Amino acid sequence: MPGAAGDSTALDTGYVEVHVTTPDGPTAARLARLLVEERLAACVQVLPGVTSVYRWDGAVETADEHLLLVKTTAAAFQAIRERIGSEHPYDTPEVLALPVVAVAPGYAAWLSASVDAGPGRGSPPSSEDLP
């Protein structure tokens, strides 16, 4: 099965999908738009109707949430984590990056062109950025 553990065809593409849960639709929409407007993400899909069951402060809790699926580069992850941390209403928001091991070339080109992880955005400066 392609992509299975031990499969040597899985690659580190430099892209990630970041999962972020939010308490409601307005928060989800605001964060999704913020990430795309700031060029930290090429696309953010908002999935409503997610039920999360989790342990918090020693108790098992259940919450209705919205899930953001953030399409971005690995280089932008740190900036996304910081931005979500500063804007999210939760004390400990989920900001979970999953590696993309394969991607269509056209989608990869669009994603790279849409995300600006440049200096100060989680990636080291290129030689063109140095004095």
Side-chain angles (χ1 to χ4, degrees):
M1 173 195 300
D7 183 351
S8 62
T9 62
L11 303 172
D12 177 5
T13 62
Y15 302 105
V16 295
E17 181 178 83
V18 179
H19 293 192
V20 178
T21 51
T22 66
D24 52 46
T27 301
R30 181 177 60 81
L31 292 175
R33 187 163 193 85
L34 177 80
L35 294 176
V36 174
E37 284 178 346
E38 293 185 0
R39 299 183 61 89
L40 293 173
C43 172
V44 179
Q45 296 168 314
V46 179
L47 303 176
V50 174
T51 301
S52 296
V53 179
Y54 55 94
R55 182 172 303 281
W56 188 255
D57 288 335
V60 176
E61 304 284 344
T62 301
D64 292 329
E65 296 182 302
H66 285 62
L67 175 63
L68 305 182
L69 301 178
V70 181
K71 312 310 193 259
T72 191
T73 62
F77 176 74
Q78 180 65 28
I80 288 171
R81 188 176 76 181
E82 290 171 5
R83 197 67 172 116
I84 293 294
S86 70
E87 295 292 325
H88 203 288
Y90 291 169
D91 292 336
T92 308
E94 172 186 2
V95 185
L96 178 67
L98 304 174
V100 172
V101 297
V103 62
Y107 189 88
W110 168 78
L111 202 159
S112 292
S114 298
V115 174
D116 177 14
R121 284 292 181 88
S123 68
S126 71
S127 59
E128 296 149 5
D129 297 321
L130 298 175

Short mmCIF file of all heavy atoms in Angstrom, two decimals, residues 33-58:
data_model
loop_
_atom_site.label_atom_id
_atom_site.label_comp_id
_atom_site.label_asym_id
_atom_site.label_seq_id
_atom_site.Cartn_x
_atom_site.Cartn_y
_atom_site.Cartn_z
N ARG A 33 -9.43 33.56 7.51
CA ARG A 33 -9.19 34.74 6.67
C ARG A 33 -7.87 35.42 7.05
O ARG A 33 -7.10 35.83 6.18
CB ARG A 33 -10.35 35.72 6.80
CG ARG A 33 -10.25 36.87 5.84
CD ARG A 33 -11.59 37.58 5.68
NE ARG A 33 -11.54 38.46 4.55
CZ ARG A 33 -11.77 38.11 3.29
NH1 ARG A 33 -12.09 36.87 3.00
NH2 ARG A 33 -11.70 38.99 2.32
N LEU A 34 -7.59 35.53 8.33
CA LEU A 34 -6.35 36.14 8.82
C LEU A 34 -5.13 35.41 8.25
O LEU A 34 -4.20 36.04 7.74
CB LEU A 34 -6.34 36.10 10.35
CG LEU A 34 -5.09 36.63 11.04
CD1 LEU A 34 -5.14 38.14 11.09
CD2 LEU A 34 -5.01 36.06 12.45
N LEU A 35 -5.13 34.08 8.32
CA LEU A 35 -3.99 33.30 7.84
C LEU A 35 -3.76 33.45 6.34
O LEU A 35 -2.63 33.54 5.88
CB LEU A 35 -4.15 31.82 8.21
CG LEU A 35 -4.12 31.50 9.70
CD1 LEU A 35 -4.39 30.03 9.94
CD2 LEU A 35 -2.81 31.93 10.35
N VAL A 36 -4.86 33.50 5.59
CA VAL A 36 -4.72 33.66 4.13
C VAL A 36 -4.33 35.10 3.79
O VAL A 36 -3.43 35.32 2.97
CB VAL A 36 -6.00 33.23 3.40
CG1 VAL A 36 -5.92 33.54 1.91
CG2 VAL A 36 -6.25 31.72 3.62
N GLU A 37 -4.97 36.08 4.43
CA GLU A 37 -4.63 37.48 4.15
C GLU A 37 -3.17 37.79 4.47
O GLU A 37 -2.52 38.55 3.75
CB GLU A 37 -5.54 38.42 4.95
CG GLU A 37 -6.92 38.53 4.37
CD GLU A 37 -7.85 39.44 5.18
OE1 GLU A 37 -7.50 39.79 6.34
OE2 GLU A 37 -8.92 39.77 4.66
N GLU A 38 -2.65 37.19 5.54
CA GLU A 38 -1.26 37.43 5.93
C GLU A 38 -0.28 36.53 5.19
O GLU A 38 0.92 36.52 5.50
CB GLU A 38 -1.12 37.27 7.45
CG GLU A 38 -1.86 38.36 8.19
CD GLU A 38 -1.64 38.33 9.69
OE1 GLU A 38 -0.91 37.47 10.21
OE2 GLU A 38 -2.23 39.19 10.36
N ARG A 39 -0.78 35.77 4.23
CA ARG A 39 0.03 34.88 3.38
C ARG A 39 0.77 33.80 4.18
O ARG A 39 1.80 33.30 3.76
CB ARG A 39 0.99 35.68 2.50
CG ARG A 39 0.25 36.62 1.55
CD ARG A 39 1.16 37.38 0.63
NE ARG A 39 1.93 36.50 -0.24
CZ ARG A 39 1.55 36.07 -1.45
NH1 ARG A 39 0.39 36.44 -1.92
NH2 ARG A 39 2.33 35.30 -2.15
N LEU A 40 0.21 33.43 5.32
CA LEU A 40 0.74 32.31 6.08
C LEU A 40 0.17 31.00 5.57
O LEU A 40 0.73 29.94 5.84
CB LEU A 40 0.41 32.48 7.57
CG LEU A 40 1.11 33.66 8.24
CD1 LEU A 40 0.59 33.84 9.66
CD2 LEU A 40 2.62 33.46 8.24
N ALA A 41 -0.94 31.05 4.86
CA ALA A 41 -1.59 29.87 4.30
C ALA A 41 -2.08 30.18 2.90
O ALA A 41 -2.48 31.31 2.61
CB ALA A 41 -2.77 29.45 5.17
N ALA A 42 -2.05 29.17 2.05
CA ALA A 42 -2.59 29.31 0.71
C ALA A 42 -4.10 29.15 0.73
O ALA A 42 -4.82 29.79 -0.03
CB ALA A 42 -1.97 28.27 -0.22
N CYS A 43 -4.58 28.28 1.60
CA CYS A 43 -6.00 27.94 1.68
C CYS A 43 -6.28 27.43 3.08
O CYS A 43 -5.45 26.73 3.67
CB CYS A 43 -6.31 26.86 0.65
SG CYS A 43 -7.98 26.16 0.76
N VAL A 44 -7.45 27.78 3.61
CA VAL A 44 -7.91 27.21 4.88
C VAL A 44 -9.33 26.72 4.67
O VAL A 44 -10.21 27.50 4.30
CB VAL A 44 -7.87 28.24 6.03
CG1 VAL A 44 -8.37 27.61 7.33
CG2 VAL A 44 -6.47 28.82 6.21
N GLN A 45 -9.53 25.44 4.87
CA GLN A 45 -10.87 24.88 4.81
C GLN A 45 -11.45 24.87 6.21
O GLN A 45 -10.76 24.51 7.17
CB GLN A 45 -10.83 23.46 4.25
CG GLN A 45 -10.33 23.41 2.82
CD GLN A 45 -10.01 22.02 2.38
OE1 GLN A 45 -9.37 21.26 3.09
NE2 GLN A 45 -10.46 21.67 1.18
N VAL A 46 -12.72 25.27 6.33
CA VAL A 46 -13.41 25.30 7.61
C VAL A 46 -14.45 24.19 7.62
O VAL A 46 -15.36 24.18 6.79
CB VAL A 46 -14.10 26.67 7.84
CG1 VAL A 46 -14.85 26.67 9.17
CG2 VAL A 46 -13.07 27.80 7.79
N LEU A 47 -14.28 23.26 8.54
CA LEU A 47 -15.20 22.14 8.67
C LEU A 47 -16.03 22.32 9.93
O LEU A 47 -15.52 22.16 11.04
CB LEU A 47 -14.45 20.80 8.74
CG LEU A 47 -13.51 20.50 7.58
CD1 LEU A 47 -12.76 19.20 7.83
CD2 LEU A 47 -14.27 20.43 6.28
N PRO A 48 -17.32 22.66 9.79
CA PRO A 48 -18.18 22.79 10.97
C PRO A 48 -18.65 21.42 11.44
O PRO A 48 -18.48 20.42 10.76
CB PRO A 48 -19.35 23.61 10.45
CG PRO A 48 -19.42 23.25 9.00
CD PRO A 48 -18.00 23.00 8.55
N GLY A 49 -19.23 21.40 12.63
CA GLY A 49 -19.86 20.18 13.11
C GLY A 49 -18.90 19.11 13.62
O GLY A 49 -19.22 17.93 13.57
N VAL A 50 -17.74 19.51 14.10
CA VAL A 50 -16.78 18.56 14.67
C VAL A 50 -17.07 18.44 16.16
O VAL A 50 -17.21 19.45 16.85
CB VAL A 50 -15.33 19.05 14.45
CG1 VAL A 50 -14.33 18.16 15.16
CG2 VAL A 50 -15.02 19.15 12.97
N THR A 51 -17.19 17.22 16.64
CA THR A 51 -17.35 16.99 18.08
C THR A 51 -16.03 16.49 18.63
O THR A 51 -15.51 15.48 18.17
CB THR A 51 -18.46 15.96 18.36
OG1 THR A 51 -19.69 16.45 17.81
CG2 THR A 51 -18.62 15.72 19.86
N SER A 52 -15.48 17.21 19.58
CA SER A 52 -14.22 16.83 20.20
C SER A 52 -14.47 16.29 21.60
O SER A 52 -15.23 16.88 22.37
CB SER A 52 -13.28 18.04 20.28
OG SER A 52 -12.94 18.49 19.00
N VAL A 53 -13.84 15.17 21.91
CA VAL A 53 -13.87 14.59 23.25
C VAL A 53 -12.42 14.60 23.73
O VAL A 53 -11.54 14.06 23.05
CB VAL A 53 -14.44 13.16 23.24
CG1 VAL A 53 -14.43 12.56 24.64
CG2 VAL A 53 -15.84 13.14 22.63
N TYR A 54 -12.17 15.21 24.87
CA TYR A 54 -10.80 15.41 25.32
C TYR A 54 -10.75 15.49 26.85
O TYR A 54 -11.75 15.68 27.52
CB TYR A 54 -10.23 16.70 24.71
CG TYR A 54 -11.08 17.92 25.00
CD1 TYR A 54 -10.79 18.74 26.08
CD2 TYR A 54 -12.18 18.23 24.20
CE1 TYR A 54 -11.58 19.84 26.37
CE2 TYR A 54 -12.97 19.33 24.47
CZ TYR A 54 -12.67 20.14 25.55
OH TYR A 54 -13.45 21.23 25.83
N ARG A 55 -9.55 15.35 27.37
CA ARG A 55 -9.33 15.48 28.81
C ARG A 55 -8.79 16.88 29.07
O ARG A 55 -7.83 17.32 28.45
CB ARG A 55 -8.34 14.43 29.30
CG ARG A 55 -8.11 14.48 30.81
CD ARG A 55 -7.27 13.31 31.29
NE ARG A 55 -7.85 12.03 30.96
CZ ARG A 55 -8.86 11.43 31.62
NH1 ARG A 55 -9.39 12.04 32.66
NH2 ARG A 55 -9.30 10.26 31.24
N TRP A 56 -9.42 17.61 30.02
CA TRP A 56 -8.97 18.95 30.38
C TRP A 56 -9.16 19.13 31.88
O TRP A 56 -10.24 18.89 32.40
CB TRP A 56 -9.77 20.00 29.61
CG TRP A 56 -9.23 21.39 29.79
CD1 TRP A 56 -9.77 22.37 30.55
CD2 TRP A 56 -8.05 21.92 29.23
NE1 TRP A 56 -8.99 23.50 30.48
CE2 TRP A 56 -7.91 23.25 29.67
CE3 TRP A 56 -7.07 21.40 28.38
CZ2 TRP A 56 -6.85 24.06 29.30
CZ3 TRP A 56 -6.01 22.22 28.01
CH2 TRP A 56 -5.92 23.53 28.47
N ASP A 57 -8.11 19.54 32.56
CA ASP A 57 -8.15 19.73 34.01
C ASP A 57 -8.68 18.50 34.74
O ASP A 57 -9.47 18.60 35.68
CB ASP A 57 -8.99 20.96 34.38
CG ASP A 57 -8.30 22.27 34.01
OD1 ASP A 57 -7.06 22.29 33.93
OD2 ASP A 57 -9.01 23.28 33.81
N GLY A 58 -8.27 17.32 34.27
CA GLY A 58 -8.61 16.07 34.94
C GLY A 58 -9.99 15.51 34.63
O GLY A 58 -10.36 14.46 35.13
#
